[in-house]
Amino acid sequence: MPDRKPLPTPLPPQDPTRVARGRGTLAQPAPRFDQKRREWAHDGWEIAEEPQAVQREVTLEAPRSVIAWNQSPDLGFDRAVNPYRGCEHGCIYCYARPTHAYLGLSPGLDFETRLVARPDAAQVLARELGRKSYRVAPLALGSNTDPWQPIEAQHRITRGLLEVLRDWRHPLTITTRSALIERDLDILSEMAALGLVEVGISLTTLDARLARAMEPRAPTPARRLAMISALAAAGIPVRLMMAPVIPGLTDHEIEPIMQAAREAGAQVAWWSLLRLPHEVSALFQDWLEEHRPGHAAKVMARLREMREGRDNDGGFHSRFRGSGAMAGLLDQRVRLARKRLGYAEALPPLTCDLFRAPPKAGDQLSLF
């Protein structure tokens, strides 16, 4: 057997006195901008300590702006809103983990347990949509972390954003894997009737045990298929998001996932290759060694074959699909399955001409 490549950045020893059940990782790699490195080390004293459970912490943030703009040529949107920073779902492969480093927090366990909520997001969004310079185009919700993650049940920030977008007829694309979205079917069905919304449901595997290990606080695969059915029954266009496809671990499920989602009501299907930016590479490889040691070498060898020998490729277009013969075969399999299962090539474009800018404070409200 060929030697396995070492982890890109060795993870620090874990503190055995901390308990965090149902998390994607217990590791706490230092933020890449932090000049100091903190590690747990035994002090030599054999003193019994009671394990301390890691609790979720939520910090409130008052942003001046909530619309994040981008000019990426491989994204289908140029603007997005994220009501939360960090994500309690704990998906080990999440490409958004490195964003926690901008807060001085670890992309490891901190990303799952030290969350930031933006309670004024709806009011700030309405203010931004009301600017004279604003030009309407579909807004993405859930491009970074899940807007319906568990803390949304308490904070209801996403619900507030939906109310603003519905009231002013603004088009919206959604990505989620949370069953809590069904709470908001009333708003989403109203928007869908006007051609204002489409929803992407992320589904990575049909194996419940694998999903539990890889995405510990996200709904089961069966529950996500039920979400697709509920959304479709409400008249909401649904996109299957096979993201990420993990070579050597989940790629054999491409066709079964697409068939199950199609039977549930998904109209189009999209896929993305596993991405391992910055700290995610070490965290994911550590997870492989712990949960799927027999797959570790195969997964990384195949991924590097599609990433030109690297763990990650941040180039536009190639970051989602990879390159080379094996990446081409994966894409061909998706294309053939789309045709065989009757998926549409694309969803109808969202309606933009119904948008009316929210009035500024003191302005008279106009009905439409």
Side-chain angles (χ1 to χ4, degrees), residues 104-119:
L105 299 173
S106 173
L109 184 59
D110 280 351
F111 180 78
E112 308 173 36
T113 58
R114 299 183 65 179
L115 312 175
V116 177
R118 312 168 93 184

Side-chain angles (χ1 to χ4, degrees), residues 7-12 14 24-29 92 279-293 296 300:
L7 300 184
T9 302
L11 294 175
Q14 296 176 11
T25 181
L26 299 183
Q28 285 283 63
I92 189 60
E279 298 91 343
V280 183
S281 182
L283 290 166
F284 180 74
Q285 291 185 63
D286 181 66
W287 178 90
L288 279 175
E289 294 291 347
E290 179 180 354
H291 293 276
R292 293 295 187 274
M300 294 310 300

Side-chain angles (χ1 to χ4, degrees), residues 173-186:
T173 66
I174 290 170
T175 302
T176 185
R177 66 190 63 204
S178 175
L180 187 56
I181 191 176
E182 294 178 358
R183 177 202 63 187
D184 298 324
L185 283 177
D186 56 337

Side-chain angles (χ1 to χ4, degrees), residues 41-64:
H42 198 289
D43 60 8
W45 293 101
E46 298 299 335
I47 301 174
E49 295 186 41
E50 287 291 327
Q52 299 294 317
V54 176
Q55 301 295 325
R56 178 181 70 189
E57 299 177 27
V58 180
T59 301
L60 302 184
E61 178 185 83
R64 295 181 180 179

